[in-house]
Amino acid sequence: MNDAAPATAAEPLVPPATAPHARPATLRGRMAALLDWMLPDSLLGRLSVVMIFGVLVTQVAGGLIWAAQLRSKSEAETRVAAQHLAHSASVAIRYFMSLPANYRPLMIQQLREMGGTRFFINANSAAVPVAPFGDSPLVKVAIDAAAQTLRDDLPFMPEAKLDFAWPDGLQVSNDGLKVGDLPDNWAQHILLTKPNSAPVLVIQMQVENGRWLYLAALMPNPYFLDSDNPLWLDRLVLQGLSLAAILLLSILVVRWTTRPLAALADAAEAFGKGETVPQLPGTGSREYVKTARAFSGMRERIKRYLEDRERLFVSISHDLRTPITRLKLRTELMDDDEMRSEFHDDLDELDMMVKGALQSVKDSDIHENRTEVRLDALVTRMIRDAKMAGHEIAFTPSGINVIAKPLALKRAIGNLFDNALYYGQRVEIAIRPSQGVGGALVEIEIRDHGPGVPEDAMGTLFQPYVRLEHGRSQNSGGMGLGLGISRNIVQAHGGELLLRNHPEGGLIATIILPAR
């Protein structure tokens, strides 16, 4: 009896990670397993992911460093500008404190009529409330720097009140007067309200009991808050466009680089299945061109070897049959009947071995093109002849088709079907789809109700001329080559042939083929 490979022969169709010995025992192994799980299977996908990740990390790190430098520069410039403005404010405060109290309104009025100075100045009887400006790092830096400078320049004066405010709705007097209520020439040269309003620094200091000096001014850089967030939308858009351009070019380059490798893989797969090998592109990287030339040379050597092997087997079988025939004729001249019978048996066995070797080569090397094969029709034709001989066969059509060599696949299934008929009068055939590591698969399962196979003999069934005891007794005409031929044909289709005993008795032979 002969059957498919034991369960261990299915390793190519089982994920390597499922085997116990495949579990990584080291940190490096665990990292490699994690990367294999996270990254795509194709070389194009892996290189693209690595390049995209590298570009993203580089862009993000560069953007963060650049933003930190801009933020540091903006804080330094804001601190210096606030100190300079506070020095000017302290000079103005000292000047107005040197004037008599009743002269201060007159001087303020003269300054307004002249068009003002750097500050909008007003005298109030109490501190003017200023609407909250909002949290901003640069505003805090400016207020802290200006407050410290005022304390240094006016050490004997009360603590000044400093606030930032927008000119719209800014109150300049404790009686409710606002900037918008003032004549244009009083504030238009001091506070920016058009076209884009700028934040105003308001400094209020109590110069005497019940007398407050109000100063409002712009920072030397009126729009200093624009640098508060270096990651503006326009900058982010520019960074995104640059990143997209780099990634697109990177993916195009990776695809251009890996495309010849995909062609080489397709050629190797086609050659392994006995199909017509497509022409490999002759351009590409130096490593690829070298590999392609080595593959082409290897393909030609293997092709010549297979042709020489076939010619050798044909020649040997032809040359051996002539002396075997002569020996049979000579044994007829022997007087000893017992000796003559033994010679005949030995020569018949030798003749059968020669025919079996030739059949093994021819059946495993059927030259035909692949086409779509209707499995139901192929199996139904086999079943029809077997039922006419009185065999009981169970089969339910599946409607599944595969791409295969029709005659070769018929030979592979036929050998397994004949074995099942020899060793079990009742046969069950099932065709069903399944899923494997490499994609969709098709399983053709043939079960007989015979004695099965001892587990210790399961690994020897594919060896040529190996036949078990019950196989020799039930099928004396067999040579023990059927299973080996079937497995070679199935493997040439990119599939696998598996054997296992059924728990209730009998043997199950399963052909696993790629769906496409």
Side-chain angles (χ1 to χ4, degrees), residues 482-506:
L483 280 180
I485 293 173
S486 296
R487 186 175 70 168
N488 292 339
I489 293 175
V490 172
Q491 289 179 345
H493 283 78
E496 190 58 75
L497 176 59
L498 308 178
L499 293 180
R500 73 178 189 276
N501 286 313
H502 194 278
E504 299 177 0

Side-chain angles (χ1 to χ4, degrees), residues 184-405:
D184 290 341
N185 61 338
W186 284 19
Q188 64 180 353
H189 301 300
I190 302 174
L191 308 179
L192 288 177
T193 58
K194 298 177 182 179
N196 296 324
S197 58
V200 178
L201 176 61
V202 178
I203 303 174
Q204 300 184 78
M205 179 173 286
Q206 187 177 10
V207 294
E208 294 173 357
N209 189 19
R211 298 181 185 274
W212 287 74
L213 200 60
Y214 180 100
L215 293 86
L218 297 173
M219 292 282 289
N221 175 15
Y223 299 102
F224 74 101
L225 286 180
D226 290 346
S227 60
D228 190 16
N229 182 16
L231 300 177
W232 290 346
L233 180 60
D234 54 348
R235 292 179 179 174
L236 291 177
V237 170
L238 180 60
Q239 289 284 331
L241 292 177
S242 302
L243 178 62
I246 294 174
L247 294 181
L248 179 61
L249 291 176
S250 300
I251 293 176
L252 290 177
V253 170
V254 172
R255 183 175 179 82
W256 173 72
T257 305
T258 57
R259 183 178 297 173
L261 297 179
L264 180 61
D266 293 339
E269 183 179 4
F271 179 65
K273 294 180 179 180
E275 301 176 355
T276 302
V277 178
Q279 186 67 29
L280 292 175
T283 58
S285 63
R286 180 176 58 186
E287 293 78 7
Y288 162 74
V289 172
K290 185 176 179 180
T291 305
R293 289 175 180 173
F295 171 78
S296 299
M298 179 193 67
R299 181 185 63 188
E300 294 300 325
R301 289 193 295 272
I302 294 177
K303 185 177 179 181
R304 288 195 300 269
Y305 165 75
L306 294 176
E307 292 174 352
D308 293 342
R309 188 196 69 163
E310 184 175 356
R311 285 194 298 267
L312 177 63
F313 268 89
V314 172
S315 299
I316 291 176
S317 64
H318 180 271
D319 293 342
L320 286 178
R321 293 179 70 179
T322 300
I324 290 174
T325 302
R326 287 201 303 267
L327 289 173
K328 285 184 177 181
L329 293 175
R330 289 175 182 175
T331 56
E332 295 295 334
L333 302 177
M334 298 179 63
D335 296 333
D336 190 340
D337 293 340
E338 184 178 354
M339 183 69 69
R340 184 171 60 249
S341 177
E342 291 179 358
F343 267 102
H344 267 296
D345 293 341
D346 290 340
L347 291 175
D348 288 341
E349 184 176 355
L350 181 60
D351 188 27
M352 183 181 65
M353 293 177 65
V354 171
K355 291 179 180 179
L358 181 61
Q359 178 188 357
S360 177
V361 174
K362 289 185 176 181
D363 288 355
S364 300
D365 192 20
I366 300 177
H367 300 284
E368 58 178 330
N369 295 326
R370 291 173 181 260
T371 185
E372 188 170 11
V373 179
R374 297 170 54 199
L375 295 177
D376 291 344
L378 187 149
V379 173
T380 301
R381 285 194 295 269
M382 297 181 184
I383 292 176
R384 183 170 55 246
D385 297 337
K387 285 185 174 180
M388 293 178 61
H391 294 286
E392 182 181 350
I393 302 169
F395 171 66
T396 301
S398 62
I400 297 177
N401 301 340
V402 295
I403 301 298
K405 295 180 179 181

Side-chain angles (χ1 to χ4, degrees), residues 74-87 141-142 145 149 219-220:
S74 299
E75 290 179 357
E77 292 176 350
T78 300
R79 186 176 294 106
V80 172
Q83 292 172 351
H84 179 71
L85 183 62
H87 282 305
V141 169
T149 302
M219 292 282 289

Side-chain angles (χ1 to χ4, degrees), residues 399-420:
I400 297 177
N401 301 340
V402 295
I403 301 298
K405 295 180 179 181
L407 293 179
L409 184 60
K410 180 180 179 182
R411 185 71 51 80
I413 299 177
N415 289 343
L416 301 176
F417 184 63
D418 291 342
N419 279 351

